[in-house]
Amino acid sequence: WAESIIETLVAVLGKASVTEMKMDTVVWFCTFSQYQAGDMDGDCGPTISQQLARDPFKRVIESMPPHGMMVVHTSTAELYSRLWCVFEINEALEDNVQTIPAYSMGALQRLF
């Protein structure tokens, strides 16, 4: 995971402050909820293929989260270069879950 946790926190709190999301809202944060397998020899966790077969994202998406799916952009990594991120967004769009962009200040500065 190459994102900045500080930029992520700022982006999530900023988006939450302008939506109806309350500070005690429970969120599923995939970065901390999913084993980031490397599919390398000796890797002790499940492979990416094994995890996809379990449909972990689909289960969360099918729960129809009331605040949708927040897609967080930071300046430290390109979100769409990560297979997991693209996969999660695709799952949300297929199930008509609202996807909401959230940008850190660094990500916004890169846009302009």
Side-chain angles (χ1 to χ4, degrees), residues 73-97:
H73 299 266
T74 69
S75 68
T76 57
E78 173 51 50
L79 174 92
Y80 298 111
S81 69
R82 297 287 310 226
L83 177 61
W84 283 122
C85 297
V86 174
F87 181 78
E88 290 175 50
I89 294 166
N90 183 65
E91 292 292 302
L93 293 173
E94 283 185 2
D95 283 357
N96 296 315
V97 171

mmCIF file with all atom_site columns, all heavy atoms in Angstrom, residues 73-97:
data_model
loop_
_atom_site.group_PDB
_atom_site.id
_atom_site.type_symbol
_atom_site.label_atom_id
_atom_site.label_alt_id
_atom_site.label_comp_id
_atom_site.label_asym_id
_atom_site.label_entity_id
_atom_site.label_seq_id
_atom_site.pdbx_PDB_ins_code
_atom_site.Cartn_x
_atom_site.Cartn_y
_atom_site.Cartn_z
_atom_site.occupancy
_atom_site.B_iso_or_equiv
_atom_site.pdbx_formal_charge
_atom_site.auth_seq_id
_atom_site.auth_comp_id
_atom_site.auth_asym_id
_atom_site.auth_atom_id
_atom_site.pdbx_PDB_model_num
ATOM 1   N N   . HIS A 1 73 ? -8.400  9.571  -3.062  1.00 0.00 ? 73 HIS A N   1
ATOM 2   C CA  . HIS A 1 73 ? -7.246  9.919  -3.888  1.00 0.00 ? 73 HIS A CA  1
ATOM 3   C C   . HIS A 1 73 ? -6.240  10.691 -3.039  1.00 0.00 ? 73 HIS A C   1
ATOM 4   O O   . HIS A 1 73 ? -6.611  11.648 -2.364  1.00 0.00 ? 73 HIS A O   1
ATOM 5   C CB  . HIS A 1 73 ? -7.673  10.800 -5.068  1.00 0.00 ? 73 HIS A CB  1
ATOM 6   C CG  . HIS A 1 73 ? -8.643  10.138 -5.986  1.00 0.00 ? 73 HIS A CG  1
ATOM 7   N ND1 . HIS A 1 73 ? -8.243  9.470  -7.118  1.00 0.00 ? 73 HIS A ND1 1
ATOM 8   C CD2 . HIS A 1 73 ? -9.991  10.033 -5.934  1.00 0.00 ? 73 HIS A CD2 1
ATOM 9   C CE1 . HIS A 1 73 ? -9.313  8.986  -7.739  1.00 0.00 ? 73 HIS A CE1 1
ATOM 10  N NE2 . HIS A 1 73 ? -10.379 9.306  -7.031  1.00 0.00 ? 73 HIS A NE2 1
ATOM 11  N N   . THR A 1 74 ? -4.978  10.277 -3.091  1.00 0.00 ? 74 THR A N   1
ATOM 12  C CA  . THR A 1 74 ? -3.903  11.011 -2.424  1.00 0.00 ? 74 THR A CA  1
ATOM 13  C C   . THR A 1 74 ? -2.813  11.336 -3.449  1.00 0.00 ? 74 THR A C   1
ATOM 14  O O   . THR A 1 74 ? -2.859  10.846 -4.577  1.00 0.00 ? 74 THR A O   1
ATOM 15  C CB  . THR A 1 74 ? -3.287  10.203 -1.259  1.00 0.00 ? 74 THR A CB  1
ATOM 16  O OG1 . THR A 1 74 ? -2.566  9.097  -1.794  1.00 0.00 ? 74 THR A OG1 1
ATOM 17  C CG2 . THR A 1 74 ? -4.347  9.726  -0.279  1.00 0.00 ? 74 THR A CG2 1
ATOM 18  N N   . SER A 1 75 ? -1.843  12.117 -3.031  1.00 0.00 ? 75 SER A N   1
ATOM 19  C CA  . SER A 1 75 ? -0.762  12.503 -3.950  1.00 0.00 ? 75 SER A CA  1
ATOM 20  C C   . SER A 1 75 ? 0.346   11.466 -4.019  1.00 0.00 ? 75 SER A C   1
ATOM 21  O O   . SER A 1 75 ? 1.227   11.558 -4.879  1.00 0.00 ? 75 SER A O   1
ATOM 22  C CB  . SER A 1 75 ? -0.165  13.846 -3.524  1.00 0.00 ? 75 SER A CB  1
ATOM 23  O OG  . SER A 1 75 ? 0.522   13.711 -2.288  1.00 0.00 ? 75 SER A OG  1
ATOM 24  N N   . THR A 1 76 ? 0.319   10.468 -3.153  1.00 0.00 ? 76 THR A N   1
ATOM 25  C CA  . THR A 1 76 ? 1.454   9.549  -3.063  1.00 0.00 ? 76 THR A CA  1
ATOM 26  C C   . THR A 1 76 ? 1.345   8.313  -3.947  1.00 0.00 ? 76 THR A C   1
ATOM 27  O O   . THR A 1 76 ? 2.333   7.600  -4.116  1.00 0.00 ? 76 THR A O   1
ATOM 28  C CB  . THR A 1 76 ? 1.669   9.099  -1.608  1.00 0.00 ? 76 THR A CB  1
ATOM 29  O OG1 . THR A 1 76 ? 0.468   8.494  -1.127  1.00 0.00 ? 76 THR A OG1 1
ATOM 30  C CG2 . THR A 1 76 ? 2.038   10.282 -0.727  1.00 0.00 ? 76 THR A CG2 1
ATOM 31  N N   . ALA A 1 77 ? 0.174   8.029  -4.484  1.00 0.00 ? 77 ALA A N   1
ATOM 32  C CA  . ALA A 1 77 ? 0.022   6.851  -5.345  1.00 0.00 ? 77 ALA A CA  1
ATOM 33  C C   . ALA A 1 77 ? -1.164  7.058  -6.277  1.00 0.00 ? 77 ALA A C   1
ATOM 34  O O   . ALA A 1 77 ? -2.116  7.751  -5.940  1.00 0.00 ? 77 ALA A O   1
ATOM 35  C CB  . ALA A 1 77 ? -0.194  5.595  -4.511  1.00 0.00 ? 77 ALA A CB  1
ATOM 36  N N   . GLU A 1 78 ? -1.084  6.451  -7.439  1.00 0.00 ? 78 GLU A N   1
ATOM 37  C CA  . GLU A 1 78 ? -2.198  6.509  -8.394  1.00 0.00 ? 78 GLU A CA  1
ATOM 38  C C   . GLU A 1 78 ? -3.176  5.390  -8.075  1.00 0.00 ? 78 GLU A C   1
ATOM 39  O O   . GLU A 1 78 ? -2.872  4.209  -8.253  1.00 0.00 ? 78 GLU A O   1
ATOM 40  C CB  . GLU A 1 78 ? -1.677  6.388  -9.829  1.00 0.00 ? 78 GLU A CB  1
ATOM 41  C CG  . GLU A 1 78 ? -2.755  6.261  -10.885 1.00 0.00 ? 78 GLU A CG  1
ATOM 42  C CD  . GLU A 1 78 ? -3.841  7.321  -10.796 1.00 0.00 ? 78 GLU A CD  1
ATOM 43  O OE1 . GLU A 1 78 ? -3.491  8.525  -10.715 1.00 0.00 ? 78 GLU A OE1 1
ATOM 44  O OE2 . GLU A 1 78 ? -5.032  6.952  -10.791 1.00 0.00 ? 78 GLU A OE2 1
ATOM 45  N N   . LEU A 1 79 ? -4.322  5.769  -7.601  1.00 0.00 ? 79 LEU A N   1
ATOM 46  C CA  . LEU A 1 79 ? -5.356  4.833  -7.178  1.00 0.00 ? 79 LEU A CA  1
ATOM 47  C C   . LEU A 1 79 ? -5.679  3.799  -8.250  1.00 0.00 ? 79 LEU A C   1
ATOM 48  O O   . LEU A 1 79 ? -5.790  2.612  -7.971  1.00 0.00 ? 79 LEU A O   1
ATOM 49  C CB  . LEU A 1 79 ? -6.615  5.628  -6.811  1.00 0.00 ? 79 LEU A CB  1
ATOM 50  C CG  . LEU A 1 79 ? -7.850  4.838  -6.482  1.00 0.00 ? 79 LEU A CG  1
ATOM 51  C CD1 . LEU A 1 79 ? -7.908  4.595  -4.986  1.00 0.00 ? 79 LEU A CD1 1
ATOM 52  C CD2 . LEU A 1 79 ? -9.081  5.561  -6.952  1.00 0.00 ? 79 LEU A CD2 1
ATOM 53  N N   . TYR A 1 80 ? -5.813  4.231  -9.490  1.00 0.00 ? 80 TYR A N   1
ATOM 54  C CA  . TYR A 1 80 ? -6.261  3.328  -10.550 1.00 0.00 ? 80 TYR A CA  1
ATOM 55  C C   . TYR A 1 80 ? -5.162  2.399  -11.057 1.00 0.00 ? 80 TYR A C   1
ATOM 56  O O   . TYR A 1 80 ? -5.411  1.562  -11.917 1.00 0.00 ? 80 TYR A O   1
ATOM 57  C CB  . TYR A 1 80 ? -6.883  4.128  -11.684 1.00 0.00 ? 80 TYR A CB  1
ATOM 58  C CG  . TYR A 1 80 ? -8.106  4.886  -11.218 1.00 0.00 ? 80 TYR A CG  1
ATOM 59  C CD1 . TYR A 1 80 ? -8.093  6.270  -11.132 1.00 0.00 ? 80 TYR A CD1 1
ATOM 60  C CD2 . TYR A 1 80 ? -9.250  4.204  -10.805 1.00 0.00 ? 80 TYR A CD2 1
ATOM 61  C CE1 . TYR A 1 80 ? -9.214  6.961  -10.678 1.00 0.00 ? 80 TYR A CE1 1
ATOM 62  C CE2 . TYR A 1 80 ? -10.359 4.882  -10.343 1.00 0.00 ? 80 TYR A CE2 1
ATOM 63  C CZ  . TYR A 1 80 ? -10.329 6.267  -10.282 1.00 0.00 ? 80 TYR A CZ  1
ATOM 64  O OH  . TYR A 1 80 ? -11.431 6.934  -9.823  1.00 0.00 ? 80 TYR A OH  1
ATOM 65  N N   . SER A 1 81 ? -3.954  2.517  -10.527 1.00 0.00 ? 81 SER A N   1
ATOM 66  C CA  . SER A 1 81 ? -2.899  1.577  -10.900 1.00 0.00 ? 81 SER A CA  1
ATOM 67  C C   . SER A 1 81 ? -2.957  0.315  -10.045 1.00 0.00 ? 81 SER A C   1
ATOM 68  O O   . SER A 1 81 ? -2.245  -0.648 -10.310 1.00 0.00 ? 81 SER A O   1
ATOM 69  C CB  . SER A 1 81 ? -1.521  2.237  -10.769 1.00 0.00 ? 81 SER A CB  1
ATOM 70  O OG  . SER A 1 81 ? -1.213  2.473  -9.404  1.00 0.00 ? 81 SER A OG  1
ATOM 71  N N   . ARG A 1 82 ? -3.807  0.306  -9.031  1.00 0.00 ? 82 ARG A N   1
ATOM 72  C CA  . ARG A 1 82 ? -3.942  -0.841 -8.133  1.00 0.00 ? 82 ARG A CA  1
ATOM 73  C C   . ARG A 1 82 ? -5.110  -1.720 -8.566  1.00 0.00 ? 82 ARG A C   1
ATOM 74  O O   . ARG A 1 82 ? -6.248  -1.259 -8.644  1.00 0.00 ? 82 ARG A O   1
ATOM 75  C CB  . ARG A 1 82 ? -4.193  -0.370 -6.694  1.00 0.00 ? 82 ARG A CB  1
ATOM 76  C CG  . ARG A 1 82 ? -3.098  0.438  -6.076  1.00 0.00 ? 82 ARG A CG  1
ATOM 77  C CD  . ARG A 1 82 ? -1.927  -0.423 -5.728  1.00 0.00 ? 82 ARG A CD  1
ATOM 78  N NE  . ARG A 1 82 ? -2.360  -1.583 -4.980  1.00 0.00 ? 82 ARG A NE  1
ATOM 79  C CZ  . ARG A 1 82 ? -1.794  -2.040 -3.902  1.00 0.00 ? 82 ARG A CZ  1
ATOM 80  N NH1 . ARG A 1 82 ? -0.758  -1.436 -3.419  1.00 0.00 ? 82 ARG A NH1 1
ATOM 81  N NH2 . ARG A 1 82 ? -2.245  -3.110 -3.300  1.00 0.00 ? 82 ARG A NH2 1
ATOM 82  N N   . LEU A 1 83 ? -4.841  -2.993 -8.834  1.00 0.00 ? 83 LEU A N   1
ATOM 83  C CA  . LEU A 1 83 ? -5.874  -3.927 -9.267  1.00 0.00 ? 83 LEU A CA  1
ATOM 84  C C   . LEU A 1 83 ? -7.022  -3.994 -8.264  1.00 0.00 ? 83 LEU A C   1
ATOM 85  O O   . LEU A 1 83 ? -8.189  -4.002 -8.647  1.00 0.00 ? 83 LEU A O   1
ATOM 86  C CB  . LEU A 1 83 ? -5.273  -5.313 -9.487  1.00 0.00 ? 83 LEU A CB  1
ATOM 87  C CG  . LEU A 1 83 ? -6.256  -6.414 -9.880  1.00 0.00 ? 83 LEU A CG  1
ATOM 88  C CD1 . LEU A 1 83 ? -6.946  -6.079 -11.192 1.00 0.00 ? 83 LEU A CD1 1
ATOM 89  C CD2 . LEU A 1 83 ? -5.549  -7.749 -9.961  1.00 0.00 ? 83 LEU A CD2 1
ATOM 90  N N   . TRP A 1 84 ? -6.704  -4.042 -6.966  1.00 0.00 ? 84 TRP A N   1
ATOM 91  C CA  . TRP A 1 84 ? -7.767  -4.133 -5.960  1.00 0.00 ? 84 TRP A CA  1
ATOM 92  C C   . TRP A 1 84 ? -8.710  -2.946 -6.044  1.00 0.00 ? 84 TRP A C   1
ATOM 93  O O   . TRP A 1 84 ? -9.931  -3.105 -5.942  1.00 0.00 ? 84 TRP A O   1
ATOM 94  C CB  . TRP A 1 84 ? -7.170  -4.186 -4.550  1.00 0.00 ? 84 TRP A CB  1
ATOM 95  C CG  . TRP A 1 84 ? -6.602  -5.498 -4.153  1.00 0.00 ? 84 TRP A CG  1
ATOM 96  C CD1 . TRP A 1 84 ? -5.313  -5.733 -3.762  1.00 0.00 ? 84 TRP A CD1 1
ATOM 97  C CD2 . TRP A 1 84 ? -7.269  -6.765 -4.093  1.00 0.00 ? 84 TRP A CD2 1
ATOM 98  N NE1 . TRP A 1 84 ? -5.143  -7.059 -3.469  1.00 0.00 ? 84 TRP A NE1 1
ATOM 99  C CE2 . TRP A 1 84 ? -6.333  -7.718 -3.665  1.00 0.00 ? 84 TRP A CE2 1
ATOM 100 C CE3 . TRP A 1 84 ? -8.559  -7.180 -4.371  1.00 0.00 ? 84 TRP A CE3 1
ATOM 101 C CZ2 . TRP A 1 84 ? -6.642  -9.056 -3.492  1.00 0.00 ? 84 TRP A CZ2 1
ATOM 102 C CZ3 . TRP A 1 84 ? -8.872  -8.519 -4.205  1.00 0.00 ? 84 TRP A CZ3 1
ATOM 103 C CH2 . TRP A 1 84 ? -7.920  -9.433 -3.770  1.00 0.00 ? 84 TRP A CH2 1
ATOM 104 N N   . CYS A 1 85 ? -8.152  -1.753 -6.201  1.00 0.00 ? 85 CYS A N   1
ATOM 105 C CA  . CYS A 1 85 ? -8.993  -0.549 -6.240  1.00 0.00 ? 85 CYS A CA  1
ATOM 106 C C   . CYS A 1 85 ? -9.935  -0.583 -7.439  1.00 0.00 ? 85 CYS A C   1
ATOM 107 O O   . CYS A 1 85 ? -11.133 -0.309 -7.308  1.00 0.00 ? 85 CYS A O   1
ATOM 108 C CB  . CYS A 1 85 ? -8.118  0.697  -6.290  1.00 0.00 ? 85 CYS A CB  1
ATOM 109 S SG  . CYS A 1 85 ? -7.080  0.917  -4.837  1.00 0.00 ? 85 CYS A SG  1
ATOM 110 N N   . VAL A 1 86 ? -9.398  -0.917 -8.586  1.00 0.00 ? 86 VAL A N   1
ATOM 111 C CA  . VAL A 1 86 ? -10.224 -0.981 -9.794  1.00 0.00 ? 86 VAL A CA  1
ATOM 112 C C   . VAL A 1 86 ? -11.299 -2.057 -9.634  1.00 0.00 ? 86 VAL A C   1
ATOM 113 O O   . VAL A 1 86 ? -12.463 -1.845 -9.982  1.00 0.00 ? 86 VAL A O   1
ATOM 114 C CB  . VAL A 1 86 ? -9.338  -1.252 -11.035 1.00 0.00 ? 86 VAL A CB  1
ATOM 115 C CG1 . VAL A 1 86 ? -10.186 -1.462 -12.276 1.00 0.00 ? 86 VAL A CG1 1
ATOM 116 C CG2 . VAL A 1 86 ? -8.362  -0.100 -11.232 1.00 0.00 ? 86 VAL A CG2 1
ATOM 117 N N   . PHE A 1 87 ? -10.924 -3.198 -9.066  1.00 0.00 ? 87 PHE A N   1
ATOM 118 C CA  . PHE A 1 87 ? -11.871 -4.287 -8.851  1.00 0.00 ? 87 PHE A CA  1
ATOM 119 C C   . PHE A 1 87 ? -13.004 -3.853 -7.916  1.00 0.00 ? 87 PHE A C   1
ATOM 120 O O   . PHE A 1 87 ? -14.182 -4.098 -8.196  1.00 0.00 ? 87 PHE A O   1
ATOM 121 C CB  . PHE A 1 87 ? -11.137 -5.507 -8.277  1.00 0.00 ? 87 PHE A CB  1
ATOM 122 C CG  . PHE A 1 87 ? -12.035 -6.685 -8.037  1.00 0.00 ? 87 PHE A CG  1
ATOM 123 C CD1 . PHE A 1 87 ? -12.440 -7.486 -9.082  1.00 0.00 ? 87 PHE A CD1 1
ATOM 124 C CD2 . PHE A 1 87 ? -12.486 -6.984 -6.756  1.00 0.00 ? 87 PHE A CD2 1
ATOM 125 C CE1 . PHE A 1 87 ? -13.278 -8.580 -8.865  1.00 0.00 ? 87 PHE A CE1 1
ATOM 126 C CE2 . PHE A 1 87 ? -13.316 -8.069 -6.533  1.00 0.00 ? 87 PHE A CE2 1
ATOM 127 C CZ  . PHE A 1 87 ? -13.712 -8.866 -7.588  1.00 0.00 ? 87 PHE A CZ  1
ATOM 128 N N   . GLU A 1 88 ? -12.661 -3.207 -6.808  1.00 0.00 ? 88 GLU A N   1
ATOM 129 C CA  . GLU A 1 88 ? -13.680 -2.763 -5.848  1.00 0.00 ? 88 GLU A CA  1
ATOM 130 C C   . GLU A 1 88 ? -14.644 -1.760 -6.476  1.00 0.00 ? 88 GLU A C   1
ATOM 131 O O   . GLU A 1 88 ? -15.858 -1.847 -6.282  1.00 0.00 ? 88 GLU A O   1
ATOM 132 C CB  . GLU A 1 88 ? -13.021 -2.104 -4.634  1.00 0.00 ? 88 GLU A CB  1
ATOM 133 C CG  . GLU A 1 88 ? -12.275 -3.050 -3.755  1.00 0.00 ? 88 GLU A CG  1
ATOM 134 C CD  . GLU A 1 88 ? -11.566 -2.310 -2.646  1.00 0.00 ? 88 GLU A CD  1
ATOM 135 O OE1 . GLU A 1 88 ? -12.210 -1.490 -1.968  1.00 0.00 ? 88 GLU A OE1 1
ATOM 136 O OE2 . GLU A 1 88 ? -10.365 -2.546 -2.454  1.00 0.00 ? 88 GLU A OE2 1
ATOM 137 N N   . ILE A 1 89 ? -14.109 -0.807 -7.208  1.00 0.00 ? 89 ILE A N   1
ATOM 138 C CA  . ILE A 1 89 ? -14.963 0.199  -7.850  1.00 0.00 ? 89 ILE A CA  1
ATOM 139 C C   . ILE A 1 89 ? -15.887 -0.465 -8.857  1.00 0.00 ? 89 ILE A C   1
ATOM 140 O O   . ILE A 1 89 ? -17.081 -0.147 -8.925  1.00 0.00 ? 89 ILE A O   1
ATOM 141 C CB  . ILE A 1 89 ? -14.100 1.303  -8.503  1.00 0.00 ? 89 ILE A CB  1
ATOM 142 C CG1 . ILE A 1 89 ? -13.362 2.095  -7.419  1.00 0.00 ? 89 ILE A CG1 1
ATOM 143 C CG2 . ILE A 1 89 ? -14.956 2.227  -9.363  1.00 0.00 ? 89 ILE A CG2 1
ATOM 144 C CD1 . ILE A 1 89 ? -12.240 2.961  -7.940  1.00 0.00 ? 89 ILE A CD1 1
ATOM 145 N N   . ASN A 1 90 ? -15.366 -1.409 -9.617  1.00 0.00 ? 90 ASN A N   1
ATOM 146 C CA  . ASN A 1 90 ? -16.192 -2.136 -10.574 1.00 0.00 ? 90 ASN A CA  1
ATOM 147 C C   . ASN A 1 90 ? -17.325 -2.882 -9.874  1.00 0.00 ? 90 ASN A C   1
ATOM 148 O O   . ASN A 1 90 ? -18.473 -2.855 -10.326 1.00 0.00 ? 90 ASN A O   1
ATOM 149 C CB  . ASN A 1 90 ? -15.333 -3.107 -11.385 1.00 0.00 ? 90 ASN A CB  1
ATOM 150 C CG  . ASN A 1 90 ? -16.133 -3.822 -12.437 1.00 0.00 ? 90 ASN A CG  1
ATOM 151 O OD1 . ASN A 1 90 ? -16.638 -3.202 -13.371 1.00 0.00 ? 90 ASN A OD1 1
ATOM 152 N ND2 . ASN A 1 90 ? -16.282 -5.126 -12.292 1.00 0.00 ? 90 ASN A ND2 1
ATOM 153 N N   . GLU A 1 91 ? -17.018 -3.549 -8.765  1.00 0.00 ? 91 GLU A N   1
ATOM 154 C CA  . GLU A 1 91 ? -18.050 -4.266 -8.010  1.00 0.00 ? 91 GLU A CA  1
ATOM 155 C C   . GLU A 1 91 ? -19.138 -3.296 -7.543  1.00 0.00 ? 91 GLU A C   1
ATOM 156 O O   . GLU A 1 91 ? -20.326 -3.603 -7.626  1.00 0.00 ? 91 GLU A O   1
ATOM 157 C CB  . GLU A 1 91 ? -17.439 -4.979 -6.797  1.00 0.00 ? 91 GLU A CB  1
ATOM 158 C CG  . GLU A 1 91 ? -16.519 -6.121 -7.151  1.00 0.00 ? 91 GLU A CG  1
ATOM 159 C CD  . GLU A 1 91 ? -17.254 -7.294 -7.760  1.00 0.00 ? 91 GLU A CD  1
ATOM 160 O OE1 . GLU A 1 91 ? -18.162 -7.842 -7.112  1.00 0.00 ? 91 GLU A OE1 1
ATOM 161 O OE2 . GLU A 1 91 ? -16.908 -7.673 -8.885  1.00 0.00 ? 91 GLU A OE2 1
ATOM 162 N N   . ALA A 1 92 ? -18.733 -2.145 -7.042  1.00 0.00 ? 92 ALA A N   1
ATOM 163 C CA  . ALA A 1 92 ? -19.710 -1.155 -6.571  1.00 0.00 ? 92 ALA A CA  1
ATOM 164 C C   . ALA A 1 92 ? -20.588 -0.659 -7.712  1.00 0.00 ? 92 ALA A C   1
ATOM 165 O O   . ALA A 1 92 ? -21.821 -0.590 -7.585  1.00 0.00 ? 92 ALA A O   1
ATOM 166 C CB  . ALA A 1 92 ? -18.985 0.024  -5.913  1.00 0.00 ? 92 ALA A CB  1
ATOM 167 N N   . LEU A 1 93 ? -19.986 -0.340 -8.833  1.00 0.00 ? 93 LEU A N   1
ATOM 168 C CA  . LEU A 1 93 ? -20.755 0.163  -9.977  1.00 0.00 ? 93 LEU A CA  1
ATOM 169 C C   . LEU A 1 93 ? -21.719 -0.891 -10.513 1.00 0.00 ? 93 LEU A C   1
ATOM 170 O O   . LEU A 1 93 ? -22.856 -0.562 -10.876 1.00 0.00 ? 93 LEU A O   1
ATOM 171 C CB  . LEU A 1 93 ? -19.811 0.641  -11.078 1.00 0.00 ? 93 LEU A CB  1
ATOM 172 C CG  . LEU A 1 93 ? -18.982 1.878  -10.728 1.00 0.00 ? 93 LEU A CG  1
ATOM 173 C CD1 . LEU A 1 93 ? -17.967 2.168  -11.829 1.00 0.00 ? 93 LEU A CD1 1
ATOM 174 C CD2 . LEU A 1 93 ? -19.871 3.085  -10.472 1.00 0.00 ? 93 LEU A CD2 1
ATOM 175 N N   . GLU A 1 94 ? -21.286 -2.153 -10.542 1.00 0.00 ? 94 GLU A N   1
ATOM 176 C CA  . GLU A 1 94 ? -22.172 -3.222 -11.012 1.00 0.00 ? 94 GLU A CA  1
ATOM 177 C C   . GLU A 1 94 ? -23.403 -3.381 -10.124 1.00 0.00 ? 94 GLU A C   1
ATOM 178 O O   . GLU A 1 94 ? -24.466 -3.770 -10.595 1.00 0.00 ? 94 GLU A O   1
ATOM 179 C CB  . GLU A 1 94 ? -21.417 -4.549 -11.088 1.00 0.00 ? 94 GLU A CB  1
ATOM 180 C CG  . GLU A 1 94 ? -20.515 -4.658 -12.292 1.00 0.00 ? 94 GLU A CG  1
ATOM 181 C CD  . GLU A 1 94 ? -19.874 -6.030 -12.425 1.00 0.00 ? 94 GLU A CD  1
ATOM 182 O OE1 . GLU A 1 94 ? -20.152 -6.925 -11.598 1.00 0.00 ? 94 GLU A OE1 1
ATOM 183 O OE2 . GLU A 1 94 ? -19.090 -6.197 -13.376 1.00 0.00 ? 94 GLU A OE2 1
ATOM 184 N N   . ASP A 1 95 ? -23.249 -3.094 -8.832  1.00 0.00 ? 95 ASP A N   1
ATOM 185 C CA  . ASP A 1 95 ? -24.369 -3.231 -7.895  1.00 0.00 ? 95 ASP A CA  1
ATOM 186 C C   . ASP A 1 95 ? -25.062 -1.905 -7.593  1.00 0.00 ? 95 ASP A C   1
ATOM 187 O O   . ASP A 1 95 ? -25.829 -1.804 -6.637  1.00 0.00 ? 95 ASP A O   1
ATOM 188 C CB  . ASP A 1 95 ? -23.890 -3.874 -6.591  1.00 0.00 ? 95 ASP A CB  1
ATOM 189 C CG  . ASP A 1 95 ? -23.685 -5.369 -6.735  1.00 0.00 ? 95 ASP A CG  1
ATOM 190 O OD1 . ASP A 1 95 ? -23.965 -5.907 -7.827  1.00 0.00 ? 95 ASP A OD1 1
ATOM 191 O OD2 . ASP A 1 95 ? -23.266 -6.007 -5.762  1.00 0.00 ? 95 ASP A OD2 1
ATOM 192 N N   . ASN A 1 96 ? -24.776 -0.893 -8.402  1.00 0.00 ? 96 ASN A N   1
ATOM 193 C CA  . ASN A 1 96 ? -25.398 0.423  -8.252  1.00 0.00 ? 96 ASN A CA  1
ATOM 194 C C   . ASN A 1 96 ? -25.169 1.050  -6.880  1.00 0.00 ? 96 ASN A C   1
ATOM 195 O O   . ASN A 1 96 ? -26.050 1.718  -6.338  1.00 0.00 ? 96 ASN A O   1
ATOM 196 C CB  . ASN A 1 96 ? -26.898 0.361  -8.561  1.00 0.00 ? 96 ASN A CB  1
ATOM 197 C CG  . ASN A 1 96 ? -27.148 -0.020 -9.999  1.00 0.00 ? 96 ASN A CG  1
ATOM 198 O OD1 . ASN A 1 96 ? -26.511 0.507  -10.909 1.00 0.00 ? 96 ASN A OD1 1
ATOM 199 N ND2 . ASN A 1 96 ? -28.036 -0.967 -10.213 1.00 0.00 ? 96 ASN A ND2 1
ATOM 200 N N   . VAL A 1 97 ? -23.996 0.821  -6.314  1.00 0.00 ? 97 VAL A N   1
ATOM 201 C CA  . VAL A 1 97 ? -23.610 1.486  -5.076  1.00 0.00 ? 97 VAL A CA  1
ATOM 202 C C   . VAL A 1 97 ? -22.958 2.810  -5.462  1.00 0.00 ? 97 VAL A C   1
ATOM 203 O O   . VAL A 1 97 ? -22.084 2.855  -6.331  1.00 0.00 ? 97 VAL A O   1
ATOM 204 C CB  . VAL A 1 97 ? -22.626 0.626  -4.259  1.00 0.00 ? 97 VAL A CB  1
ATOM 205 C CG1 . VAL A 1 97 ? -22.051 1.403  -3.087  1.00 0.00 ? 97 VAL A CG1 1
ATOM 206 C CG2 . VAL A 1 97 ? -23.321 -0.635 -3.773  1.00 0.00 ? 97 VAL A CG2 1
#
